[in-house]
Amino acid sequence: MKRIVLTIIASFLCLSVYSQTEANGYESVFRPSEDDYAKPIPFPFIRSADIVWSTTLWKKIDLNELFNQFFYFPVDNDDRYNKKSLAYIIWDAMAAEEIPIYEDDELKIPLDNRLFVERYTKADTILLEIGYDDDDNEMYQTIIRPHEFDGAEIYQYSLMEVWFIGKQDTRQDSRRIALAPLKDSFHKFGNTEEEIYLGRLPLFWIPMQNPSVRAILARYSSNFDGNNLANQPSWDHIFIGQIYEAFVTGESTVSTRNISQYLTGEDAIIESELIENKVFDIESDMWEY
């Protein structure tokens, strides 16, 4: 009987040691399973015939804003503590062809994920002047500079969303339609180092209502509360709840122009606030009458 008990204890200890060596570090304490990942909350079906008012807004999320800085961190992509910045979440899912990408915010021009990654990460060839030869001729050396995606270079996001009011409850609601990471873009002249700044342009647009996109955003938790690694809202929840600071850059009108095309500086800021206030006032105006 003692031999049986000792054998059971020894077996238990072996299994315990083995299970502890299965994972190390953070994963050895909190080991997520597929059941732990949040699922996207399905949106209710809305008939177009039930919409009494709608408009489209273009907004910009600036990560230099203190409230938005959780979008930016962590700046590396080592998935530490099961955390990634939004830029790396989107890029990694795109590179793995898990989500579709588009060239335009209307999501009408699809891009090939694999070709986009190949084109973006293509190494730059640079001719570097290294001196002169014996005949006083300039000497050059060809340098191959690899180009990898760096999430730390994404400081802003462009967002397109639709606001609407339905017949049934006359309550204002909104949906995020398309999102694009913005990156400083430059145009180079030949094989030289000379280049001109083109501005912060979209890398690509992702369809925020697409089930695969929502599944990715729901799978990863944000870094909204830097003092608590647990119970962080998912990125899907961040966008549904609009837990970020954003300013209006354009509204769907007859001309559908960006504010920057006709106003600058303080006038553009005032125009952005006026558009946002106008949209929010529409709901109360409907109840008033």
Side-chain angles (χ1 to χ4, degrees), residues 43-282:
F43 291 125
F45 174 75
I46 303 173
R47 296 193 314 149
S48 58
D50 291 333
I51 301 300
V52 296
W53 169 87
S54 71
T55 189
T56 301
L57 296 181
W58 283 264
K59 292 184 176 181
K60 193 162 286 183
I61 303 173
D62 191 343
L63 307 194
N64 289 312
E65 292 282 346
L66 181 61
F67 188 83
N68 294 332
Q69 287 186 357
F70 70 94
F71 275 71
Y72 187 75
F73 297 102
V75 294
D76 50 21
N77 193 25
D78 60 5
D79 206 5
R80 187 180 304 168
Y81 307 122
N82 295 323
K83 301 289 184 182
K84 286 185 179 182
S85 68
L86 182 62
Y88 278 120
I89 291 172
I90 293 175
W91 176 269
D92 291 345
M94 182 278 298
E97 300 185 52
E98 295 177 336
I99 60 175
I101 58 174
Y102 294 82
E103 185 177 330
D104 61 320
D105 55 3
E106 295 184 2
L107 309 176
K108 292 182 178 179
I109 309 174
L111 295 172
D112 185 289
N113 297 42
R114 182 178 56 82
L115 292 178
F116 181 88
V117 172
E118 288 180 2
R119 186 167 61 247
Y120 186 90
T121 57
K122 183 180 179 181
D124 297 326
T125 303
I126 301 172
L127 287 178
L128 181 65
E129 183 179 339
I130 58 175
Y132 297 85
D133 60 16
D134 295 336
D135 297 327
D136 205 28
N137 296 316
E138 293 181 347
M139 298 174 59
Y140 295 91
Q141 180 180 359
T142 301
I143 297 177
I144 305 298
R145 184 173 63 184
H147 187 204
E148 297 293 337
F149 176 76
D150 184 2
E153 296 178 345
I154 305 300
Y155 292 101
Q156 289 180 331
Y157 290 88
S158 189
L159 180 66
M160 186 181 79
E161 56 188 25
V162 170
W163 288 77
F164 58 90
I165 295 177
K167 281 181 184 177
Q168 306 300 326
D169 53 10
T170 324
R171 189 177 63 182
Q172 195 176 66
D173 203 351
S174 63
R175 296 285 188 275
R176 264 39 61 197
I177 305 301
L179 179 76
L182 304 181
K183 183 179 180 298
D184 290 331
S185 299
F186 301 86
H187 176 71
K188 293 184 179 180
F189 294 93
N191 292 326
T192 67
E193 285 289 333
E194 186 180 356
E195 55 188 13
I196 58 173
Y197 180 62
L198 302 177
R200 282 184 178 165
L201 303 180
L203 284 181
F204 48 77
W205 291 86
I206 61 172
M208 296 293 282
Q209 296 293 300
N210 184 283
S212 58
V213 172
R214 293 201 62 206
I216 290 293
L217 294 178
R219 183 182 183 90
Y220 284 93
S221 59
S222 66
N223 298 293
F224 180 70
D225 185 356
N227 297 317
N228 182 10
L229 291 176
N231 298 320
Q232 298 272 28
S234 71
W235 282 105
D236 189 54
H237 182 77
I238 291 292
F239 283 103
I240 291 176
Q242 301 178 74
I243 310 175
Y244 48 80
E245 295 285 347
F247 59 93
V248 176
T249 59
E251 181 189 16
S252 58
T253 59
V254 175
S255 59
T256 313
R257 293 185 300 167
N258 286 330
I259 294 175
S260 60
Q261 293 179 288
Y262 59 93
L263 290 173
T264 58
E266 187 175 345
D267 292 333
I269 296 174
I270 294 173
E271 179 72 1
S272 174
E273 293 174 349
L274 286 174
I275 292 174
E276 192 160 7
N277 291 336
K278 180 188 70 175
V279 170
F280 290 147
D281 288 343
I282 286 177

